[in-house]
């Protein structure tokens, strides 16, 4: 099994709350989440993981933690040692003004398949029994300047700063 790389929170922790539900539905795992910006300052939430052709809501990173919990995430990753920094991709982000929220609902195919940047293959626990949903968030004032992306979003570096907010572990058998 490949374990989730360690990450370091960077910058000021945004005042946000995450509520999320994960539920098995036939040949998929349904995820619904709401991210509420409880502060006054706008935040950037990473919501657009690169897909095959374009970023879709169901495009996510899927990794394993050392406790065998599977993390389904929309977040950034540090560049592993020995990886060419020119290979850094982007992740789409949206700005959530103070006091506002963002809600998204999507399904990912079951069984889950590992997906992590900079790595060609990711092994997950067999069977997958428990999962969390996580999202990377940072204050807009601390975000790098984005490149334009589809649907009014910005494209941020895939190794950019973030604080990670995760749901409680859910049984997904």
């Amino acid at each position: 099994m490949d374990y989730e790389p360690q990450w370091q929170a960077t910058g000021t922790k945004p005042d946000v709350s995450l509520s999320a539900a994960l539920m098995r539905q036939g040949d998929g795992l349904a995820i619904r989440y709401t991210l509420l910006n409880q502060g006054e300052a706008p935040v950037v939430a990473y919501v657009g993981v690169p897909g095959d052709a374009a970023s879709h809501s169901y495009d996510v990173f899927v990794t394993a933690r050392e406790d065998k919990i599977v993390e389904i995430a929309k977040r950034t990753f540090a560049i592993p040692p020995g990886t060419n920094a020119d290979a850094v991709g982007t992740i789409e982000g949206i700005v959530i003004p103070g006091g506002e929220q963002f809600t998204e609902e999507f399904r990912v195919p079951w069984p889950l398949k590992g997906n992590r940047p900079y790595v060609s293959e990711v092994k997950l626990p067999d069977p997958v029994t428990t999962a969390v949903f996580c999202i990377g968030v940072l204050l807009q004032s601390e975000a790098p300047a984005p490149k334009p992306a589809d649907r009014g979003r910005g494209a941020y570096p895939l190794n950019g700063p973030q604080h990670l907010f995760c749901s409680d572990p859910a049984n997904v058998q």
Side-chain angles (χ1 to χ4, degrees):
M1 184 171 8
D2 297 318
Y3 295 118
E4 170 68 20
Q6 294 293 82
W7 66 276
Q8 292 282 2
T10 49
T12 307
K13 185 176 181 178
D15 186 9
V16 301
S17 64
L18 172 69
S19 61
L22 292 75
M23 185 182 311
R24 275 287 302 281
Q25 293 180 343
D27 61 352
L29 180 65
I31 299 173
R32 177 179 167 72
Y33 71 93
T34 298
L35 186 70
L36 172 62
N37 182 356
Q38 297 172 305
E40 294 181 12
V43 299
V44 172
Y46 296 126
V47 298
V49 172
D52 291 335
S55 175
H56 302 95
S57 62
Y58 54 80
D59 289 320
V60 292
F61 292 122
V62 181
T63 58
R65 296 179 174 180
E66 287 188 24
D67 57 7
K68 296 189 179 179
I69 292 176
V70 171
E71 181 181 294
I72 301 163
K74 297 183 177 204
R75 54 164 285 198
T76 62
F77 286 82
I79 301 171
T83 301
N84 181 349
D86 293 339
V88 174
T90 59
I91 185 168
E92 291 179 6
I94 58 160
V95 175
I96 305 173
E100 295 190 19
Q101 66 183 25
F102 176 78
T103 298
E104 188 173 46
E105 189 169 346
F106 58 93
R107 275 173 55 103
V108 292
W110 191 270
L112 297 175
K113 292 184 180 162
N115 178 28
R116 182 172 77 213
Y118 320 118
V119 177
S120 59
E121 184 179 342
V122 177
K123 295 177 185 162
L124 301 176
D126 185 16
V128 172
T129 60
T130 308
V132 294
F133 173 75
C134 300
I135 187 166
V137 184
L138 72 159
L139 293 175
Q140 184 183 24
S141 62
E142 296 179 1
K147 298 175 185 173
D150 293 339
R151 301 179 301 273
R153 297 175 173 187
Y156 297 85
L158 191 51
N159 66 330
Q162 72 183 346
H163 278 264
L164 201 56
F165 294 86
C166 298
S167 69
D168 290 332
N171 183 332
V172 294
Q173 287 183 302

